[in-house]
Amino acid sequence: EKFTPDSVILADFNKTTGRRVKGSVEWVMRNNDYAVAYYTNTQGVKSESVYTLDNKKPYMTGKTLVKDRYNNGILKYLAEKFNGEKYKIEKMVVYEYNSKVRGADGKKPKPYTYVVISQKVKGTRDVKYTRMEFDSRGQFTNLLAQPLDEKDVQ
């Protein structure tokens, strides 16, 4: 469904990112906590700008990696984890926190990578998706049960 963020968020996005957008921007709400702008930048990279809804501040950006930029540590992990199974990497997105964001330790959190893989379910036409997060060193950290939002691979 169509979502229009607050004018403060729109103004910040237009000021900081607007000139680097090629084509249109699609806004969605993520977990009722974030406004996310999906767009393609002028270099042709699928990107996301994530804002917190409570304080209307930039929270993080996401850049979808092209195949030849995939993280080798993550590729190795997937090859071992899905050894002998067929799978396809649907997307690999590196999320980087805004410079003003601080974690519980008072430091800026490190970037992380979100990966979605798909596998055909044997004997059916169904496809199952596995959603994973990896730390800045390419180490597996988390398995996610749900898509991030309606624009994520369903």
Side-chain angles (χ1 to χ4, degrees):
E1 87 204 32
K2 211 83 172 112
F3 167 73
T4 305
D6 184 280
S7 60
V8 174
I9 292 173
L10 279 174
D12 182 85
F13 179 82
N14 290 331
K15 188 176 106 189
T16 59
T17 311
R19 67 185 174 280
R20 295 194 308 263
V21 173
K22 189 172 86 188
S24 61
V25 177
E26 188 173 349
W27 288 92
V28 298
M29 192 186 295
R30 183 177 288 171
N31 301 339
N32 294 323
D33 296 320
Y34 303 101
V36 183
Y38 280 90
Y39 60 95
T40 301
N41 73 16
T42 48
Q43 281 88 46
V45 178
K46 288 184 176 169
S47 304
E48 299 169 35
S49 288
V50 183
Y51 287 81
T52 55
L53 287 175
D54 60 355
N55 68 11
K56 302 173 183 28
K57 297 266 191 262
Y59 185 65
M60 63 170 59
T61 55
K63 287 191 178 14
T64 301
L65 300 178
V66 292
K67 209 172 195 164
D68 61 358
R69 304 288 306 206
Y70 285 174
N71 177 303
N72 285 330
I74 294 173
L75 293 175
K76 187 173 177 229
Y77 173 87
L78 295 173
E80 289 168 8
K81 173 97 175 126
F82 297 98
N83 185 9
E85 296 178 49
K86 281 189 179 162
Y87 65 91
K88 177 182 170 200
I89 297 172
E90 294 289 339
K91 72 177 188 178
M92 193 177 289
V93 182
V94 175
Y95 285 101
E96 200 153 326
Y97 291 90
N98 182 280
S99 59
K100 293 183 176 75
V101 172
R102 293 292 171 263
D105 60 2
K107 295 182 177 140
K108 178 184 168 190
K110 291 194 180 325
Y112 69 95
T113 304
Y114 174 67
V115 178
V116 181
I117 68 152
S118 63
Q119 294 178 288
K120 288 189 168 76
V121 179
K122 280 191 179 111
T124 72
R125 291 176 177 230
D126 296 345
V127 174
K128 83 171 186 184
Y129 295 102
T130 305
R131 302 163 196 288
M132 296 164 275
E133 289 178 342
F134 295 82
D135 67 14
S136 59
R137 296 183 331 272
Q139 303 292 309
F140 173 82
T141 56
N142 203 4
L143 198 58
L144 298 172
Q146 299 294 321
L148 294 180
D149 55 46
E150 67 197 54
K151 290 276 296 169
D152 197 2
V153 180
Q154 299 294 327

